[in-house]
C-alpha cells in the first residue's frame, strides 16, 4: 500500500503486475508455438513492453547504485501451505512458487533485518538504504508473493481472511525455507500491515517489529472518515468508490496505456521524488533507474495487487484494523513516520495505549510516506535507534539522534 494513497484519486497509479511471458501448459504443438512466438516478439512492438525478465533486469540496473555485495535467489515456497486442501491461491497448477530474495553481505553476528515493501512497490524501493543498514545488520529484502520478481499466481482470494493468509502463509513458508528465526522484521505501509499480522500469528520468530508509515490502524468507523463519507455521496466519490470495489487498481491504468505507460510512471516519479519531494531529491541517474524499475514492476502480470479491496475499503481504511488486535501484541514494536506522511501516526498512538509490550513512535523530519527515500540519513538513524539493544548492549541507553522526535 505504498503508492496507492498518496493522492486517492489522481496518484492511484502505480504497482505491479503482468507476466507477459507466462504460458500455463504447452500441451499441444500449437500452444507451444504460440508461446514461442510471444517470447521472440520484440518488446518495443508489444502493447505492454515488459516481461518477468524485464523486472529482474531493471532490478539489477537499479542495484548497480548499491555498493554492498549481495546475492539474489528465488526461494522455493512450494505449491501450497502444508496441510492445506488447496494449492497456493487455488491454482490448478502444482508448480512451485518462488519469493525473490536479496541478501546483503554483512559482518558476522550482525542481527538479521528482514525488509518488506508496501503496496505498489517491491524491495528495490529500499535501494537508498541497503548500504547504510548493511553496516550494522544482515539485510534480507524480499518481494512479496505476487509482486516484483516473485511468482505471480492468479489471485483468487474472495475474502479478507483468505487475502491475509495469502501474504502471511507465503511469508512463513519463505521463513522456513530460509531457516530464519529471531529476526527483526521491518514493513513499510501495506508491508507494515502484513508484518504486523505475521507477528501476531508467529510472534516466536520475530525479535522486534519496525512499522514504517504502516497502513491498517484506522477503520472506516473512525470519526475522521466523516469527510470521506461526504465525498462518497458526490458523483465523483460514487464513481471512485465503485472502481475501488470493482478492484480497479492503479496498475491497470499503467497497463491500459500500453507503450505510453512508461511516460506516465516517469512523470509520477519525477514529481514525487523531485518537484514534490519533502526531502532529498533523487539524482538524475537514481530517478532514471527507479522509474524504469517501477514501470516494469507495475506493468507485469496482475497478482498481489488485487488484494486491495479485500484488505482496505475506499480511502485506505482497514477492514480488519490492527488497532483491534493491539492488546494481543507480543513483539516489541517501533513505529517510524515521516513528518509529512499522509498516513497518520495517531493510529499508532492509540494502539500503544492497549499494547503490553515496549513501543516507541519515532518521527523523521523532511520525509513523507517514502521517508526512506526522502530522508535516508534520518531513516537510518531511526532504525539504528530502534534496534540499539540488538546492535550493541552499550547503545541501549543512547540518546535519540538529533532531528528525530518521539511521539
Amino acid at each position: 500500500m505504498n503508492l496507492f494513497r498518496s493522492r486517492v484519486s489522481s496518484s492511484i497509479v502505480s504497482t505491479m503486475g503482468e507476466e507477459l511471458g507466462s504460458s500455463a501448459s504447452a500441451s499441444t504443438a500449437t500452444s507451444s508455438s504460440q508461446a514461442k512466438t510471444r517470447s521472440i516478439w520484440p518488446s518495443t512492438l508489444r502493447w505492454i513492453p515488459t516481461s518477468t525478465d524485464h523486472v529482474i533486469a531493471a532490478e539489477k540496473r537499479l542495484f548497480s547504485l548499491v555498493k554492498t555485495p549481495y546475492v539474489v535467489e528465488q526461494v522455493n515456497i512450494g505449491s501450497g501451505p502444508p496441510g492445506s486442501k488447496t494449492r497456493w491461491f487455488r491454482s490448478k497448477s502444482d508448480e512451485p512458487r518462488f519469493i525473490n530474495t536479496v541478501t546483503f553481505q554483512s559482518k558476522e553476528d550482525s542481527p538479521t533485518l528482514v525488509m518488506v515493501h508496501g503496496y505498489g512497490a517491491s524491495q528495490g524501493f529500499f535501494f537508498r538504504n541497503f548500504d547504510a543498514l548493511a553496516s550494522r545488520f544482515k539485510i534480507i529484502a524480499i518481494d512479496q508473493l505476487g509482486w516484483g520478481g516473485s511468482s505471480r499466481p492468479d489471485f483468487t482470494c474472495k475474502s479478507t481472511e483468505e487475502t491475509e493468509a495469502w501474504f502471511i502463509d507465503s511469508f512463513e513458508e519463505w521463513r522456513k525455507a530460509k531457516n530464519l528465526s529471531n529476526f527483526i522484521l521491518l514493513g513499510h505501509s501495506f508491508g507494515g500491515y502484513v508484518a504486523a499480522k505475521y507477528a501476531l500469528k508467529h510472534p516466536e520468530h520475530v525479535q522486534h517489529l519496525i512499522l514504517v508509515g504502516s497502513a491498517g490502524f484506522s477503520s472506516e468507523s473512525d470519526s475522521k472518515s466523516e469527510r470521506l463519507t461526504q465525498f462518497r455521496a458526490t458523483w465523483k466519490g460514487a464513481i471512485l468508490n465503485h472502481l475501488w470495489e470493482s478492484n480497479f487498481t492503479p496498475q491497470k491504468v499503467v497497463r491500459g496505456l500500453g507503450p505510453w505507460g512508461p511516460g506516465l510512471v516517469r512523470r509520477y516519479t519525477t514529481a514525487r521524488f523531485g518537484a514534490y519531494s519533502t526531502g532529498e531529491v533523487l539524482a538524475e541517474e537514481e530517478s532514471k533507474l527507479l522509474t524504469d524499475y517501477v514501470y516494469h514492476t507495475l506493468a507485469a502480470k496482475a497478482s498481489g495487487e488485487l488484494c486491495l479491496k479485500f484488505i482496505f475499503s475506499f480511502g485506505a481504511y482497514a477492514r480488519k484494523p490492527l488497532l483491534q488486535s493491539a492488546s494481543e501484541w507480543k513483539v516489541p514494536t517501533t513505529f517510524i513516520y515521516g513528518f509529512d506522511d499522509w498516513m497518520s501516526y495517531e493510529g499508532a498512538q492509540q494502539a500503544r495505549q492497549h499494547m503490553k509490550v515496549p513501543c516507541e513512535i519515532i518521527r523523521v523530519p523532511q520525509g513523507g510516506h517514502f521517508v526512506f527515500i526522502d530522508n535516508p540519513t534520518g531513516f537510518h538513524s531511526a532504525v539504528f535507534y530502534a534496534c540499539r539493544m540488538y546492535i550493541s548492549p552499550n547503545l541501549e541507553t543512547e540518546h535519540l539522534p538529533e532531528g528525530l522526535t518521539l511521539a
Side-chain angles (χ1 to χ4, degrees):
M1 171 166 159
N2 274 342
L3 300 173
F4 88 96
R5 179 170 162 195
S6 302
R7 300 177 183 90
V8 166
S9 58
S10 59
S11 174
I12 204 165
V13 178
S14 51
T15 145
M16 318 249 348
E18 174 110 351
E19 245 170 26
L20 293 176
S22 69
S23 60
S25 59
S27 56
T28 66
T30 302
S31 61
S32 180
S33 172
Q34 289 174 340
K36 198 173 291 186
T37 301
R38 282 197 299 270
S39 66
I40 64 174
W41 195 254
S43 62
T44 54
L45 298 180
R46 298 177 191 158
W47 178 251
I48 305 175
T50 192
S51 67
T52 305
D53 289 343
H54 280 78
V55 175
I56 300 301
E59 177 186 277
K60 185 176 181 179
R61 289 191 293 271
L62 180 62
F63 279 20
S64 68
L65 301 172
V66 180
K67 298 176 182 177
T68 306
Y70 63 88
V71 174
V72 180
E73 59 181 326
Q74 294 289 321
V75 177
N76 189 335
I77 61 170
S79 58
S84 172
K85 294 181 181 179
T86 60
R87 302 180 183 92
W88 277 120
F89 326 117
R90 295 186 172 78
S91 170
K92 294 180 180 179
S93 170
D94 277 321
E95 65 180 279
R97 310 300 183 182
F98 299 88
I99 296 292
N100 188 38
T101 305
V102 181
T103 304
F104 293 84
Q105 183 175 301
S106 62
K107 299 175 183 176
E108 285 188 35
D109 301 323
S110 295
T112 298
L113 175 63
V114 177
M115 304 180 74
V116 182
H117 64 82
Y119 186 89
S122 26
Q123 36 106 342
F125 271 63
F126 296 116
F127 76 97
R128 274 188 157 187
N129 315 119
F130 292 136
D131 285 329
L133 295 181
S135 68
R136 300 191 185 183
F137 301 99
K138 177 183 179 181
I139 299 295
I140 305 177
I142 68 165
D143 286 332
Q144 296 192 68
L145 195 61
W147 276 324
S150 293
S151 297
R152 293 173 178 247
D154 294 337
F155 190 88
T156 57
C157 297
K158 301 298 182 184
S159 68
T160 300
E161 292 77 12
E162 288 178 359
T163 304
E164 288 183 353
W166 164 298
F167 296 105
I168 296 170
D169 292 348
S170 59
F171 184 85
E172 171 61 4
E173 292 309 303
W174 171 84
R175 183 204 64 79
K176 291 178 185 175
K178 291 290 291 179
N179 193 29
L180 288 176
S181 192
N182 203 36
F183 55 90
I184 301 164
L185 180 58
L186 181 152
H188 173 239
S189 197
F190 172 69
Y193 179 87
V194 172
K197 290 284 185 174
Y198 176 83
L200 282 165
K201 187 173 182 179
H202 301 284
E204 68 277 10
H205 301 305
V206 183
Q207 188 176 33
H208 195 96
L209 193 59
I210 302 178
L211 304 180
V212 184
S214 181
F217 279 89
S218 57
S219 70
E220 217 174 315
S221 61
D222 292 351
S223 58
K224 289 189 175 181
S225 68
E226 183 179 345
R227 183 183 298 179
L228 178 65
T229 301
Q230 294 173 348
F231 174 68
R232 212 185 253 153
T234 67
W235 68 270
K236 289 182 180 178
I239 291 174
L240 288 173
N241 185 65
H242 174 73
L243 289 174
W244 186 287
E245 294 300 330
S246 300
N247 228 352
F248 185 86
T249 65
Q251 294 88 322
K252 291 181 180 179
V253 177
V254 175
R255 295 186 199 104
L257 288 174
W260 293 278
L264 177 65
V265 174
R266 186 180 307 111
R267 285 193 292 274
Y268 169 78
T269 55
T270 300
R272 170 58 185 84
F273 302 111
Y276 295 102
S277 173
T278 56
E280 185 181 320
V281 175
L282 292 180
E284 183 178 351
E285 185 67 7
E286 289 179 312
S287 181
K288 175 185 174 183
L289 294 176
L290 179 61
T291 296
D292 177 54
Y293 176 71
V294 170
Y295 170 72
H296 289 298
T297 57
L298 295 184
K301 177 187 173 184
S303 182
E305 73 187 65
L306 299 174
C307 73
L308 194 57
K309 80 164 189 175
F310 296 106
I311 299 294
F312 304 100
S313 62
F314 178 59
Y317 291 101
R319 298 191 187 276
K320 287 198 165 186
L322 289 165
L323 186 59
Q324 297 175 358
S325 305
S327 62
E328 303 168 27
W329 231 258
K330 293 182 175 65
V331 178
T333 302
T334 300
F335 293 90
I336 298 176
Y337 290 89
F339 274 17
D340 300 306
D341 196 336
W342 58 263
M343 196 73 75
S344 174
Y345 65 91
E346 293 177 358
Q349 288 181 314
Q350 293 175 32
R352 180 172 58 185
Q353 296 174 9
H354 302 284
M355 289 182 182
K356 301 180 180 69
V357 295
C359 175
E360 292 179 321
I361 303 172
I362 303 174
R363 301 187 69 201
V364 180
Q366 296 182 311
H369 193 51
F370 294 95
V371 60
F372 46 88
I373 295 180
D374 296 328
N375 184 357
T377 301
F379 173 72
H380 303 152
S381 294
V383 174
F384 294 148
Y385 181 77
C387 300
R388 55 197 181 279
M389 66 184 69
Y390 312 113
I391 296 172
S392 171
N394 298 327
L395 294 178
E396 188 171 353
T397 56
E398 185 182 82
H399 295 297
L400 187 71
E402 185 177 355
L404 306 183
T405 60
L406 293 176

